[in-house]
């Protein structure tokens, strides 16, 4: 073959190869997170969730596992049934098995320093999931919803519904939040009280039990029965002759407990309607309660979006690229400010639940009908 024809042939071949490569790139299959599938190279990712007893953590765990597997990662998913020791030994086990990244939804944000130090010594990266892990530098990223915003949305809902800005009142209100070892509680309760405190101070809101501090409003492990028992006591001691107009509940499990106590005390009838009650998570039982006018609102935190964000973080860590972060100032864990990605929570009510929860495919209509 003449040199000129050889050159042309190799040029043609090179172009064909380039074209093939480009076409292959264009055809790469992507996962639900938009990441290229199959790039995880079988690395092990440990996912430690606090408990199966609450609907949301089951969804979180399942969503993260699915998305990671789609990317080619192996996943060790464990639920710790709200027992701190169980969570610690499950994490130790993940370290022993060779996990490269740990995704941890902590039970007690203060209790993981020692186990996470040993993860750090092994070069394992740690993502704090939904709840901030505190008092350790062995946490690399934090993925969550804007927790202060959750509280603010609840507070503002009460403010609007009761017409507090217009000067209405006085109204009787009681306050319920989560456990003090869940760092989120500081933001949930704090965010809500920023809105409500001025109305307590000026007398438009009256807390007849006198229990206004976070410590007094706290419910261990977000436990429904404990919330119910506390509400039973408050009703018996303070509301035999007066009615209660509103209850701030930081989440849905607490809200359900409060609703049970109220119903036992005769609320939920035409003469004695349920007070205005908040919640958080848009759990199925609570969406049903919203439809039945027993709960007024919840705060929707799309666990699919949070799981996808954390999977993007994991993938970036493994590939050595930049993990997504949109807040580098808010979440000081006592040792460092943890680079965070905050997603936006939304109020869900009887008016918008179909659009937010059904149309988006989060639930089916059957899920939330009686
Ligand atoms: C989460 C909430 C949840 C609560 C109880 C909080 O840390 O942010 O979504 O309702 O824990 O599990």
């Amino acid at each position: 073959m003449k040199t000129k024809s050889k050159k042309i042939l190799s040029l043609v071949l090179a172009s064909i190869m380039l074209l093939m490569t480009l076409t292959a790139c264009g055809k790469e299959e992507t996962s639900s997170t938009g990441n290229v599938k199959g790039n995880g190279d079988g690395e092990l990712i440990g996912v430690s969730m606090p408990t199966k007893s609450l609907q949301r953590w089951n969804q979180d765990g399942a969503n993260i596992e699915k998305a990671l597997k789609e990317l080619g990662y192996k996943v060790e998913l464990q639920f710790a049934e709200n027992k701190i020791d169980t969570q610690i030994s499950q994490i130790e086990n993940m370290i022993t098995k060779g996990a490269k990244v740990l995704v941890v939804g902590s039970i007690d944000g203060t209790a993981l320093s020692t186990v996470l130090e040993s993860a750090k010594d092994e070069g394992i990266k740690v993502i704090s999931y939904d709840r901030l892990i505190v008092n350790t530098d062995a946490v690399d990223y934090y993925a969550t919803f804007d927790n202060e915003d959750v509280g603010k949305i609840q507070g503002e809902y009460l403010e609007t519904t009761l017409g507090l800005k217009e000067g209405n009142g006085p109204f009787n209100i009681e306050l319920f939040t989560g456990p003090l070892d869940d760092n989120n509680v500081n933001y949930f309760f704090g965010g809500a009280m920023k809105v409500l405190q001025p109305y307590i101070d000026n007398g438009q809101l009256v807390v007849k039990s006198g229990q206004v501090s976070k410590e007094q409003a706290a419910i261990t492990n977000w436990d429904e029965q404990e919330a119910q028992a506390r509400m039973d006591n408050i009703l018996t001691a303070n509301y035999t002759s007066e009615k209660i107009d509103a209850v701030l509940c930081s989440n849905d499990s607490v809200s359900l407990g409060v609703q049970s106590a109220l119903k036992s005390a005769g609320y939920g009838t035409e003469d004695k309607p349920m007070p205005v009650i908040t919640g958080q998570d848009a759990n199925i039982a609570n969406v049903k309660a919203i439809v039945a006018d027993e709960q007024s609102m919840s705060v929707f935190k799309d666990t699919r979006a949070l799981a996808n964000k954390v999977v993007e973080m994991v993938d970036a860590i493994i590939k050595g690229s930049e993990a997504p972060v949109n807040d580098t100032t808010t979440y000081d864990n006592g040792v460092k400010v943890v680079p965070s990605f905050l997603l936006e929570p939304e109020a869900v009510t009887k008016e918008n639940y179909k659009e937010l929860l059904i149309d988006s495919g989060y639930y089916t209509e059957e899920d939330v009908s009686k």
Side-chain angles (χ1 to χ4, degrees), residues 113-129:
S113 310
T114 313
V115 68
L116 294 185
E117 275 311 315
S118 51
K120 193 181 172 204
D121 291 346
E122 301 284 331
I124 301 168
K125 298 283 183 209
V126 176
I127 302 174
S128 202
Y129 186 79

Side-chain angles (χ1 to χ4, degrees), residues 220-256:
T220 320
N221 278 336
W222 298 95
D223 185 69
E224 187 180 327
Q225 277 73 40
E226 186 175 316
Q228 181 174 351
R230 176 167 178 254
M231 190 63 182
D232 278 338
N233 290 338
I234 288 178
L235 289 171
T236 317
N238 306 283
Y239 294 95
T240 42
S241 52
E242 281 202 56
K243 75 172 185 13
I244 181 164
D245 303 298
V247 190
L248 169 75
C249 293
S250 285
N251 95 332
D252 276 353
S253 53
V254 165
S255 191
L256 277 189

Side-chain angles (χ1 to χ4, degrees), residues 29-43 45 47 58-77 103 129 303-316 318-319:
E29 244 188 306
T30 52
S31 73
S32 45
T33 58
N35 286 302
V36 177
K37 272 191 178 179
N39 277 4
D41 287 337
E43 297 287 17
I45 312 298
V47 181
N58 294 276
Q59 284 169 329
D60 293 74
N63 290 339
I64 298 173
E65 183 176 42
K66 179 166 170 269
L68 281 173
K69 283 187 169 165
E70 278 180 4
L71 290 186
Y73 292 101
K74 287 200 197 101
V75 180
E76 169 88 7
L77 168 65
V103 177
Y129 186 79
T303 53
R304 298 169 299 188
L306 186 59
N308 285 348
K309 194 48 71 183
V310 94
V311 168
E312 272 181 48
M313 280 183 171
V314 170
D315 207 38
I318 296 284
K319 289 180 180 151

Side-chain angles (χ1 to χ4, degrees), residues 50-51 54 56-57 82 106 130-131 144 147 179 182-185 188 221-222 250-253 280-281 283 301:
T51 175
L54 206 83
R56 71 154 292 182
W57 303 113
N82 271 334
S106 59
D130 192 86
R131 299 170 173 172
T144 192
N147 294 310
D182 180 345
N183 187 61
N184 285 353
V185 165
F188 298 155
N221 278 336
W222 298 95
S250 285
N251 95 332
D252 276 353
S253 53
Q280 167 187 193
D281 290 336
N283 284 336
K301 304 194 299 187

